Amino acid sequence: MVTPGLLLEGTWTHPAGATLHAVRSPFSGETLGEVVISELADVDSALASAVKGAQVWRRTPAHQRSAILLEAARIADTRSEELAQTISSEMGKSIREARGEASRAGEIIRLSAFEGSQRYGESLPLDANLGTGFDKLGFTVPEPVGVVVAITPFNYPSLLVLHKVAPALAAGNAVVLKPALSAPLTAIALVQCFLDAGLPPGVLGLVNGPGSTLGTALVSDARVNKVSFTGSTAVGERITQIAGIKKLSLELGASSPVIVSKNADLEQAAHSISLGGYVNAGQVCIAAQRIIVERAIEDDFVALLKEKVEAITVGNPLDDDTMVGTLITEAEAIRVEKAIEGVVADGANLVTGGQRDRTMVAPAIISNVSADHSFAQTELFGPAVSITTAKDYQHALELANNSPYGLGAGVFTHDHDESTQAIREIDAGVVHINWTPLWRADLMPYGGIKSSGIGKEGVRTTVNEMTNWKTVIMHSRV
Ligand code: NAD
């Protein structure tokens, strides 16, 4: 079945002789669909179309844009189960997780529609500036940035597409979307919701293909006003080198720390980490990866965590009972298996898990991991956590900051002073007290510092990031 994966001028296009890419289930290997691979000429057409679409959309009043987005949200709600099946089938997360992700689609679009109607500017108190009187009036006016390129990864193929596309459209921009080639079917289904809701031609385009060619062409094109990228730090860094002068938002990788203090509720910590380290087979930028535990409670905590991790069911993502499905490819599963074997060969202790069955890896805990080992320092993106011992709470904070990344962090403690110290001292974009970093509300500002990225997402923040605030000064003769 050919799924039309090239959207130009509001029409799905299948050029004669186009290369097709088979999208396969990482669990069964079954072909789920074939998408048209775009050529560089298609990127050029998509951007030309977006330039025209941006002019149409910026002249569309916010209430009309909002009405179309609300209709797209309604349609997404009605297609939620279909969307969940597509997510689970093409990227291997369990259907229960996929249903959770799909159920947020309509809500993200609705939140965006709301925020797009709430862009209040400010009046400027110019007369407070020495030398300026009452002859001038100043204020700011919101304008769309123009053409937004949205490039997304495979791991949350609905959520991360919508966190870019919906706020961009709400703010009046045209968008060219390039989803991950390993999971494009969800993006195509979402785009269809906007088309069915009546989005004018050219306002949203979609190209499929390898990031190395298409992504590079999109990012470096002068017609693009903003690049919104979510993916690995290596690609994010490359984008900073080739983008030229345009707005950039980069949501990148991480190796997130979680501190378990001697003042923690160990049951709560173990429960939360048994989710945060393993959801989506650990393929989450905010996965709990580096578990830093105070020595005094380490044995008790690890015993509790082991029990919970061993209860995680791994298997066919489409089975209702499955908690954790596959990794995205067998090569990724082998990489994770080897990383676990490597750290154990270097002296760490395999508490549980780590065995591989094709694209699945049994949820693992590895203790006695040195804080500087690559197993802790490099983003794992797999279903395993490392346990590192801290001699006391101060040491735990130092270990938490011992990382090139700074996306999310979690701290388990019921000591108020320890919470306050963590909030003040941990270098991360988001800090959770008494939960792991693997938690996100779609309206909250979300994003990393250091090698984890530039800027924040979250619907209100993104609408603002995708808006230019023009300053207007009126000079009068009175
Ligand atoms: P990836 O970087 O390999 O690919 C992401 C996207 O970038 C894909 O669409 C890919 O085709 C495209 N791409 C590849 N090379 C490119 C180039 N040279 N120019 C432009 N685009 C290019 O990432 P992935 O494997 O799909 O996803 C996993 C990574 O994403 C992890 O590092 C994870 O931490 C990160 N991630 C971050 C967040 C966040 O919010 N910070 C969220 C999800 C995933």
Side-chain angles (χ1 to χ4, degrees), residues 338-358:
K338 292 216 171 315
I340 294 171
E341 287 169 0
V343 68
V344 171
D346 288 343
N349 174 33
L350 182 63
V351 177
T352 190
Q355 306 76 16
R356 184 178 65 84
D357 172 9
R358 292 162 296 153

PDB file of all heavy atoms in Angstrom, residues 338-358:
ATOM      1  N   LYS A 338      24.953  -4.216  23.912  1.00  0.00           N
ATOM      2  CA  LYS A 338      26.418  -4.138  24.011  1.00  0.00           C
ATOM      3  C   LYS A 338      26.850  -3.106  25.057  1.00  0.00           C
ATOM      4  O   LYS A 338      27.846  -3.297  25.761  1.00  0.00           O
ATOM      5  CB  LYS A 338      27.030  -3.782  22.642  1.00  0.00           C
ATOM      6  CG  LYS A 338      26.859  -4.893  21.617  1.00  0.00           C
ATOM      7  CD  LYS A 338      28.062  -4.999  20.698  1.00  0.00           C
ATOM      8  CE  LYS A 338      28.024  -6.221  19.801  1.00  0.00           C
ATOM      9  NZ  LYS A 338      27.639  -7.473  20.461  1.00  0.00           N
ATOM     10  N   ALA A 339      26.094  -2.028  25.158  1.00  0.00           N
ATOM     11  CA  ALA A 339      26.432  -1.009  26.168  1.00  0.00           C
ATOM     12  C   ALA A 339      26.321  -1.620  27.567  1.00  0.00           C
ATOM     13  O   ALA A 339      27.168  -1.377  28.444  1.00  0.00           O
ATOM     14  CB  ALA A 339      25.516   0.195  26.023  1.00  0.00           C
ATOM     15  N   ILE A 340      25.292  -2.438  27.768  1.00  0.00           N
ATOM     16  CA  ILE A 340      25.111  -3.075  29.085  1.00  0.00           C
ATOM     17  C   ILE A 340      26.254  -4.065  29.327  1.00  0.00           C
ATOM     18  O   ILE A 340      26.884  -4.069  30.400  1.00  0.00           O
ATOM     19  CB  ILE A 340      23.730  -3.783  29.157  1.00  0.00           C
ATOM     20  CG1 ILE A 340      22.612  -2.733  29.090  1.00  0.00           C
ATOM     21  CG2 ILE A 340      23.611  -4.630  30.427  1.00  0.00           C
ATOM     22  CD1 ILE A 340      21.208  -3.296  28.931  1.00  0.00           C
ATOM     23  N   GLU A 341      26.557  -4.881  28.319  1.00  0.00           N
ATOM     24  CA  GLU A 341      27.661  -5.848  28.474  1.00  0.00           C
ATOM     25  C   GLU A 341      28.978  -5.119  28.766  1.00  0.00           C
ATOM     26  O   GLU A 341      29.773  -5.558  29.593  1.00  0.00           O
ATOM     27  CB  GLU A 341      27.816  -6.689  27.192  1.00  0.00           C
ATOM     28  CG  GLU A 341      26.708  -7.719  27.026  1.00  0.00           C
ATOM     29  CD  GLU A 341      26.709  -8.369  25.637  1.00  0.00           C
ATOM     30  OE1 GLU A 341      27.575  -8.032  24.791  1.00  0.00           O
ATOM     31  OE2 GLU A 341      25.817  -9.193  25.403  1.00  0.00           O
ATOM     32  N   GLY A 342      29.160  -3.990  28.104  1.00  0.00           N
ATOM     33  CA  GLY A 342      30.414  -3.242  28.255  1.00  0.00           C
ATOM     34  C   GLY A 342      30.598  -2.713  29.666  1.00  0.00           C
ATOM     35  O   GLY A 342      31.685  -2.853  30.254  1.00  0.00           O
ATOM     36  N   VAL A 343      29.548  -2.127  30.236  1.00  0.00           N
ATOM     37  CA  VAL A 343      29.707  -1.535  31.571  1.00  0.00           C
ATOM     38  C   VAL A 343      29.876  -2.653  32.610  1.00  0.00           C
ATOM     39  O   VAL A 343      30.639  -2.501  33.583  1.00  0.00           O
ATOM     40  CB  VAL A 343      28.544  -0.570  31.908  1.00  0.00           C
ATOM     41  CG1 VAL A 343      27.212  -1.270  32.077  1.00  0.00           C
ATOM     42  CG2 VAL A 343      28.861   0.252  33.151  1.00  0.00           C
ATOM     43  N   VAL A 344      29.218  -3.788  32.374  1.00  0.00           N
ATOM     44  CA  VAL A 344      29.371  -4.907  33.317  1.00  0.00           C
ATOM     45  C   VAL A 344      30.810  -5.453  33.217  1.00  0.00           C
ATOM     46  O   VAL A 344      31.452  -5.738  34.244  1.00  0.00           O
ATOM     47  CB  VAL A 344      28.304  -6.002  33.040  1.00  0.00           C
ATOM     48  CG1 VAL A 344      28.584  -7.257  33.852  1.00  0.00           C
ATOM     49  CG2 VAL A 344      26.903  -5.458  33.355  1.00  0.00           C
ATOM     50  N   ALA A 345      31.332  -5.536  31.994  1.00  0.00           N
ATOM     51  CA  ALA A 345      32.719  -6.005  31.823  1.00  0.00           C
ATOM     52  C   ALA A 345      33.696  -5.049  32.524  1.00  0.00           C
ATOM     53  O   ALA A 345      34.777  -5.464  32.964  1.00  0.00           O
ATOM     54  CB  ALA A 345      33.053  -6.100  30.335  1.00  0.00           C
ATOM     55  N   ASP A 346      33.310  -3.797  32.658  1.00  0.00           N
ATOM     56  CA  ASP A 346      34.185  -2.817  33.323  1.00  0.00           C
ATOM     57  C   ASP A 346      33.995  -2.795  34.838  1.00  0.00           C
ATOM     58  O   ASP A 346      34.491  -1.885  35.503  1.00  0.00           O
ATOM     59  CB  ASP A 346      33.922  -1.415  32.749  1.00  0.00           C
ATOM     60  CG  ASP A 346      34.462  -1.279  31.336  1.00  0.00           C
ATOM     61  OD1 ASP A 346      35.292  -2.115  30.933  1.00  0.00           O
ATOM     62  OD2 ASP A 346      34.046  -0.341  30.630  1.00  0.00           O
ATOM     63  N   GLY A 347      33.220  -3.737  35.379  1.00  0.00           N
ATOM     64  CA  GLY A 347      33.152  -3.859  36.843  1.00  0.00           C
ATOM     65  C   GLY A 347      31.822  -3.516  37.468  1.00  0.00           C
ATOM     66  O   GLY A 347      31.667  -3.634  38.689  1.00  0.00           O
ATOM     67  N   ALA A 348      30.833  -3.073  36.656  1.00  0.00           N
ATOM     68  CA  ALA A 348      29.518  -2.781  37.242  1.00  0.00           C
ATOM     69  C   ALA A 348      28.782  -4.101  37.494  1.00  0.00           C
ATOM     70  O   ALA A 348      29.212  -5.169  37.057  1.00  0.00           O
ATOM     71  CB  ALA A 348      28.718  -1.885  36.308  1.00  0.00           C
ATOM     72  N   ASN A 349      27.643  -3.968  38.175  1.00  0.00           N
ATOM     73  CA  ASN A 349      26.918  -5.164  38.602  1.00  0.00           C
ATOM     74  C   ASN A 349      25.555  -5.225  37.915  1.00  0.00           C
ATOM     75  O   ASN A 349      24.752  -4.295  38.041  1.00  0.00           O
ATOM     76  CB  ASN A 349      26.767  -5.066  40.140  1.00  0.00           C
ATOM     77  CG  ASN A 349      25.907  -6.155  40.685  1.00  0.00           C
ATOM     78  OD1 ASN A 349      25.895  -7.273  40.158  1.00  0.00           O
ATOM     79  ND2 ASN A 349      25.151  -5.845  41.730  1.00  0.00           N
ATOM     80  N   LEU A 350      25.308  -6.293  37.164  1.00  0.00           N
ATOM     81  CA  LEU A 350      24.006  -6.441  36.495  1.00  0.00           C
ATOM     82  C   LEU A 350      22.998  -6.958  37.514  1.00  0.00           C
ATOM     83  O   LEU A 350      23.047  -8.115  37.924  1.00  0.00           O
ATOM     84  CB  LEU A 350      24.134  -7.417  35.319  1.00  0.00           C
ATOM     85  CG  LEU A 350      22.865  -7.645  34.500  1.00  0.00           C
ATOM     86  CD1 LEU A 350      22.402  -6.369  33.811  1.00  0.00           C
ATOM     87  CD2 LEU A 350      23.097  -8.749  33.459  1.00  0.00           C
ATOM     88  N   VAL A 351      22.100  -6.093  37.939  1.00  0.00           N
ATOM     89  CA  VAL A 351      21.111  -6.480  38.962  1.00  0.00           C
ATOM     90  C   VAL A 351      20.006  -7.311  38.333  1.00  0.00           C
ATOM     91  O   VAL A 351      19.567  -8.314  38.878  1.00  0.00           O
ATOM     92  CB  VAL A 351      20.508  -5.223  39.646  1.00  0.00           C
ATOM     93  CG1 VAL A 351      19.434  -5.592  40.654  1.00  0.00           C
ATOM     94  CG2 VAL A 351      21.609  -4.392  40.286  1.00  0.00           C
ATOM     95  N   THR A 352      19.572  -6.886  37.142  1.00  0.00           N
ATOM     96  CA  THR A 352      18.545  -7.655  36.423  1.00  0.00           C
ATOM     97  C   THR A 352      18.507  -7.198  34.976  1.00  0.00           C
ATOM     98  O   THR A 352      18.946  -6.095  34.634  1.00  0.00           O
ATOM     99  CB  THR A 352      17.153  -7.457  37.076  1.00  0.00           C
ATOM    100  OG1 THR A 352      16.235  -8.383  36.503  1.00  0.00           O
ATOM    101  CG2 THR A 352      16.600  -6.056  36.879  1.00  0.00           C
ATOM    102  N   GLY A 353      17.973  -8.076  34.097  1.00  0.00           N
ATOM    103  CA  GLY A 353      17.671  -7.719  32.702  1.00  0.00           C
ATOM    104  C   GLY A 353      18.870  -7.663  31.781  1.00  0.00           C
ATOM    105  O   GLY A 353      19.932  -8.204  32.085  1.00  0.00           O
ATOM    106  N   GLY A 354      18.645  -7.019  30.621  1.00  0.00           N
ATOM    107  CA  GLY A 354      19.722  -6.811  29.658  1.00  0.00           C
ATOM    108  C   GLY A 354      19.741  -7.808  28.507  1.00  0.00           C
ATOM    109  O   GLY A 354      20.416  -7.584  27.513  1.00  0.00           O
ATOM    110  N   GLN A 355      18.995  -8.927  28.624  1.00  0.00           N
ATOM    111  CA  GLN A 355      19.007  -9.917  27.555  1.00  0.00           C
ATOM    112  C   GLN A 355      18.202  -9.380  26.368  1.00  0.00           C
ATOM    113  O   GLN A 355      17.180  -8.736  26.546  1.00  0.00           O
ATOM    114  CB  GLN A 355      18.390 -11.257  28.000  1.00  0.00           C
ATOM    115  CG  GLN A 355      18.980 -11.857  29.254  1.00  0.00           C
ATOM    116  CD  GLN A 355      18.517 -11.155  30.538  1.00  0.00           C
ATOM    117  OE1 GLN A 355      17.542 -10.415  30.536  1.00  0.00           O
ATOM    118  NE2 GLN A 355      19.260 -11.380  31.618  1.00  0.00           N
ATOM    119  N   ARG A 356      18.666  -9.726  25.173  1.00  0.00           N
ATOM    120  CA  ARG A 356      17.991  -9.222  23.960  1.00  0.00           C
ATOM    121  C   ARG A 356      17.270 -10.340  23.236  1.00  0.00           C
ATOM    122  O   ARG A 356      17.788 -11.451  23.125  1.00  0.00           O
ATOM    123  CB  ARG A 356      19.025  -8.588  23.029  1.00  0.00           C
ATOM    124  CG  ARG A 356      18.418  -7.948  21.780  1.00  0.00           C
ATOM    125  CD  ARG A 356      19.494  -7.290  20.936  1.00  0.00           C
ATOM    126  NE  ARG A 356      20.433  -8.273  20.408  1.00  0.00           N
ATOM    127  CZ  ARG A 356      20.226  -8.978  19.295  1.00  0.00           C
ATOM    128  NH1 ARG A 356      19.121  -8.809  18.579  1.00  0.00           N
ATOM    129  NH2 ARG A 356      21.121  -9.854  18.880  1.00  0.00           N
ATOM    130  N   ASP A 357      16.077 -10.027  22.743  1.00  0.00           N
ATOM    131  CA  ASP A 357      15.350 -10.938  21.858  1.00  0.00           C
ATOM    132  C   ASP A 357      14.952 -10.102  20.641  1.00  0.00           C
ATOM    133  O   ASP A 357      14.048  -9.275  20.723  1.00  0.00           O
ATOM    134  CB  ASP A 357      14.109 -11.475  22.602  1.00  0.00           C
ATOM    135  CG  ASP A 357      13.201 -12.277  21.682  1.00  0.00           C
ATOM    136  OD1 ASP A 357      13.612 -12.566  20.540  1.00  0.00           O
ATOM    137  OD2 ASP A 357      12.065 -12.587  22.105  1.00  0.00           O
ATOM    138  N   ARG A 358      15.652 -10.251  19.544  1.00  0.00           N
ATOM    139  CA  ARG A 358      15.451  -9.441  18.325  1.00  0.00           C
ATOM    140  C   ARG A 358      15.478  -7.934  18.644  1.00  0.00           C
ATOM    141  O   ARG A 358      16.515  -7.442  19.052  1.00  0.00           O
ATOM    142  CB  ARG A 358      14.147  -9.844  17.615  1.00  0.00           C
ATOM    143  CG  ARG A 358      14.225 -11.257  17.022  1.00  0.00           C
ATOM    144  CD  ARG A 358      12.857 -11.808  16.717  1.00  0.00           C
ATOM    145  NE  ARG A 358      12.076 -11.982  17.933  1.00  0.00           N
ATOM    146  CZ  ARG A 358      10.744 -11.941  18.008  1.00  0.00           C
ATOM    147  NH1 ARG A 358      10.031 -11.728  16.934  1.00  0.00           N
ATOM    148  NH2 ARG A 358      10.124 -12.129  19.159  1.00  0.00           N
TER     149      ARG A 358
END
